[in-house]
Structure formats: C-alpha cells, structure tokens
C-alpha cells in the first residue's frame, strides 16, 4: 500500500440553491460572445451606419439568446459564441462584395 496511487477527484461546483452541478460551458460561450462585440462595434470603419445598426441588433439578439440557453442548453452557448464571429465575417465580407462597402 505504500506505493499505491491515489485517484484525484476534481471538485464539482454545485449550485447551493438548486443542488445541481454548475456547467462551465455557458461561461465559455458568454466570453466568446462578449469578445466578438468589439468587431460589431468597430464595423463602422467598414460598413455604413444602417449596416452597423443591423449588425449590433443581431449581436444583441445573440446576447439575449445566450442567456435564454444558459441553463437549458449550456453547450449551445459555445456554438453561439463561435457563430457570432462567423456571422460578423460573413456579413462584412458579403457587404464588401455585393454592396461595395469600402473602408
């Protein structure tokens, strides 16, 4: 027994109010989503004002959806954070190609 290994058990975060395990995925998704806000806010350098308003409204919709999915679908928030980057890139690139947005 002197050389036996002990298995390390990771501590699990438990919500004291509900007694359920706290998932880290919603926090990861929120960090991704909030970090994409800079791209949406700085789009005024590439897009006209109406397009920036539309982009910010889509970001706001994704932000609200992140909190709607917080407890019911925690892993979807990570996908939503990634989609926020992809959607910005697609919208700005498509605007540059089809609507002739220039910097």
């Amino acid at each position: 027994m002197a050389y036996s290994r002990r298995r390390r058990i990771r501590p699990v975060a438990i919500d004291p109010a509900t007694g359920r395990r706290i998932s880290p995925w919603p926090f990861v998704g929120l960090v991704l989503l909030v970090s994409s806000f800079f791209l949406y806010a700085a789009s005024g350098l590439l897009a006209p004002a109406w397009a920036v308003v539309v982009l910010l409204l889509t970001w706001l919709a994704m932000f609200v959806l992140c909190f709607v999915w917080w407890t019911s679908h925690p892993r979807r928030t990570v996908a939503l954070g990634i989609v926020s980057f992809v959607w910005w890139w697609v919208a700005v690139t498509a605007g540059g190609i089809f609507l002739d947005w220039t910097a």
Side-chain angles (χ1 to χ4, degrees):
M1 287 309 246
Y3 294 109
S4 67
R5 293 185 183 184
R6 295 183 67 177
R7 188 175 133 199
R8 291 186 183 183
I9 300 173
R10 291 181 14 199
V12 176
I14 302 293
D15 184 11
T18 62
R20 294 188 311 187
R21 183 177 169 269
I22 298 174
S23 174
W25 295 117
F27 298 99
V28 173
L30 185 62
V31 166
L32 285 171
L33 192 64
V34 169
S35 64
S36 72
F37 177 74
F38 173 75
L39 296 173
Y40 286 81
S43 294
L45 300 172
L46 301 170
W50 65 268
V52 174
V53 170
V54 170
L55 282 171
L56 287 173
L57 286 175
T58 58
W59 183 86
L60 184 63
M62 287 187 273
F63 186 69
V64 169
L65 188 59
C66 182
F67 286 108
V68 169
W69 284 346
W70 190 271
T71 55
S72 60
H73 307 287
R75 290 184 190 260
R76 286 186 192 175
T77 59
V78 176
L80 188 64
I82 294 168
V83 165
S84 70
F85 283 101
V86 172
W87 169 244
W88 176 84
W89 183 81
V90 166
V92 171
T93 303
I97 292 171
F98 298 116
L99 300 175
D100 202 28
W101 296 346
T102 56

